[in-house]
Amino acid sequence: MSEPKIDAAKLATLNSNAISQPLVKHIYTADPSAHVFNGKIYIYPSHDIDAGEAFDDLGSHFDMQDYHVFSMESPESEVVDHGVALSVADVPWAQKQMWAPDANEKDGKYYLYFPAKDYEGIFRIGVAVSDSPTGPFKPQPEAIKNSFSIDPCAFKDDDGSYYLYFGGIWGGQLQRWRTGTFNAEQPESPYAFLPEDNEPALCAKVARLRDDLLEFDEVPRDVVIVDENGKPLLQGDTSRRFFEAPWLHKYNGKYYFSYSTGDTHLICYAIGDNPYGPFTYAGVILNPVVGWTTHHSICEFNGEWYLFYHDSILSEGITHLRNIKMTKLEYDENGFIKTLNPYGE
Ligand code: FUB
């Protein structure tokens, strides 16, 4: 089941003013995590399908079943689809909903991190390994111990340590982990178990990875985002607080934590001095796109910076049938990122 498409005239205007065009048109793709390995761009997105699930605020309509990996020789070159890299049917612990993945490389091996619901309906994060950046990836038999929620981002720091950032509220279930164990109580509502508006916002999580990159090396910690006065953002601060889609990149020695604000549809960022934060809120990277979700990654290629993101232009506005895009990202002289308007308004 899908929502109605957006009005054709409006779509045409948005499309012609858009700052970028879909990178992939033969299948629907979303949540692009981009990395440069061996001088080439690799994109690890979700593979959107219409599985016939009804639309709800838990994201049941995002019922994806596999991942494709894409590569580009350079930002201007054609995008190559390397086919199915991992299917839910090949992951012993995973039942459904293969949401936003990420990948990284160590010593010539490639690690694909992915969230999926297990057979108890709980989102966990798994890892699958390959000798090639394009897969196929062989999944570990179990999910990462003590992993939960969604949207992994695998960051490699300059000292060779790796960190996994993750988390998402509502359908991503982060609010059910407030006590450290999964709260399975009813109601099955995205709004239950959230903090009050005047309480500190729920945080994304980060854990350093073990040397073999297959498990956490520590108990996941909160990624705290603070305001200009050093106070943690509040749950009611919906245009700035974390919702989902964490990403970490480094620019001029600083750590940039970026994320989606979910129901206010922004990609925002905050800056810190180390991988754990705290991170000070710094602004909006991307204004709302066509479609409910927004999700991105940031990556450097040949000294230029790029934002990878998605919208639902290709499906004429259907939220769970999205298409990945990329555009240049610019910093000002103080290291702040210039806000992008996806349709040039
Ligand atoms: O693709 C499914 C979910 O939608 C992702 O995990 C979220 O970040 C949102 O983009």
Side-chain angles (χ1 to χ4, degrees):
M1 294 241 322
S2 19
E3 332 103 90
K5 295 185 174 187
I6 57 175
D7 168 71
K10 185 174 175 209
L11 185 77
T13 310
L14 290 169
N15 230 337
S16 64
N17 292 337
I19 57 172
S20 68
Q21 295 301 318
L23 288 174
V24 175
K25 291 187 173 169
H26 63 286
I27 57 173
Y28 291 110
T29 54
D31 310 323
S33 292
H35 291 271
V36 175
F37 299 132
N38 307 316
K40 207 164 148 174
I41 299 168
Y42 292 91
I43 310 172
Y44 301 86
S46 299
H47 174 196
D48 282 356
I49 53 168
D50 190 349
E53 294 292 330
F55 184 99
D56 65 26
D57 281 347
L58 287 167
S60 306
H61 47 305
F62 295 103
D63 193 13
M64 298 88 102
Q65 296 172 2
D66 62 24
Y67 298 110
H68 287 226
V69 179
F70 297 85
S71 68
M72 300 171 83
E73 293 290 337
S74 74
E76 295 75 36
S77 66
E78 66 160 339
V79 182
V80 178
D81 179 357
H82 295 274
V84 175
L86 181 70
S87 292
V88 71
D90 299 326
V91 184
W93 62 266
Q95 183 200 166
K96 61 178 182 177
Q97 288 180 288
M98 295 191 101
W99 285 13
D102 189 23
N104 218 319
E105 179 272 343
K106 185 176 182 183
D107 300 333
K109 290 215 178 293
Y110 296 84
Y111 298 81
L112 180 73
Y113 297 91
F114 59 95
K117 274 192 184 150
D118 67 13
Y119 285 91
E120 292 173 64
I122 300 175
F123 266 117
R124 304 280 180 185
I125 296 172
V127 56
V129 187
S130 176
D131 292 327
S132 161
T134 56
F137 289 88
K138 188 171 186 302
Q140 290 294 106
E142 306 280 345
I144 295 173
K145 274 187 232 57
N146 298 322
S147 71
F148 55 92
S149 199
I150 59 167
D151 291 0
C153 159
F155 167 70
K156 180 187 181 186
D157 207 350
D158 299 332
D159 66 359
S161 39
Y162 290 76
Y163 299 84
L164 201 73
Y165 295 79
F166 60 94
I169 64 173
W170 292 23
Q173 301 178 338
L174 199 55
Q175 66 280 2
R176 290 187 176 270
W177 289 93
R178 290 177 67 185
T179 59
T181 52
F182 186 76
N183 176 353
E185 283 169 35
Q186 292 298 322
E188 182 70 9
S189 157
Y191 322 113
F193 316 116
L194 288 166
E196 297 296 328
D197 281 358
N198 61 358
E199 291 183 308
L202 284 180
C203 295
K205 301 285 177 179
V206 58
R208 195 180 54 245
L209 289 167
R210 211 168 66 182
D211 278 351
D212 63 6
L213 303 195
L214 299 177
E215 298 287 349
F216 294 155
D217 204 21
E218 59 184 352
V219 175
R221 311 179 190 198
D222 279 347
V223 178
V224 178
I225 304 170
V226 297
D227 66 13
E228 59 284 7
N229 301 312
K231 292 259 186 321
L233 296 186
L234 300 180
Q235 192 66 25
D237 191 352
T238 56
S239 59
R240 297 195 297 176
R241 61 93 173 91
F242 172 78
F243 187 104
E244 63 186 2
W247 187 258
L248 202 286
H249 76 280
K250 218 169 165 179
Y251 177 76
N252 279 350
K254 294 276 189 196
Y255 295 79
Y256 286 60
F257 177 75
S258 47
Y259 55 96
S260 162
T261 61
D263 52 345
T264 51
H265 315 290
L266 300 167
I267 297 291
C268 292
Y269 74 110
I271 302 176
D273 293 323
N274 69 77
Y276 295 115
F279 297 88
T280 304
Y281 179 83
V284 174
I285 296 177
L286 183 68
N287 275 320
V289 294
V290 170
W292 197 95
T293 68
T294 185
H295 190 124
H296 71 299
S297 65
I298 293 169
C299 138
E300 186 183 16
F301 183 85
N302 278 353
E304 304 276 11
W305 286 85
Y306 295 89
L307 177 75
F308 291 77
Y309 65 106
H310 70 223
D311 66 15
S312 294
I313 279 279
L314 193 61
S315 68
E316 303 181 3
I318 298 176
T319 270
H320 63 293
L321 297 178
R322 300 162 290 181
N323 53 268
I324 58 171
K325 293 182 156 186
M326 72 185 286
T327 191
K328 259 199 183 151
L329 192 76
E330 287 179 23
Y331 301 84
D332 72 14
E333 60 281 10
N334 298 313
F336 292 111
I337 295 174
K338 296 190 183 166
T339 304
L340 289 162
N341 290 312
Y343 310 103
E345 316 92 65

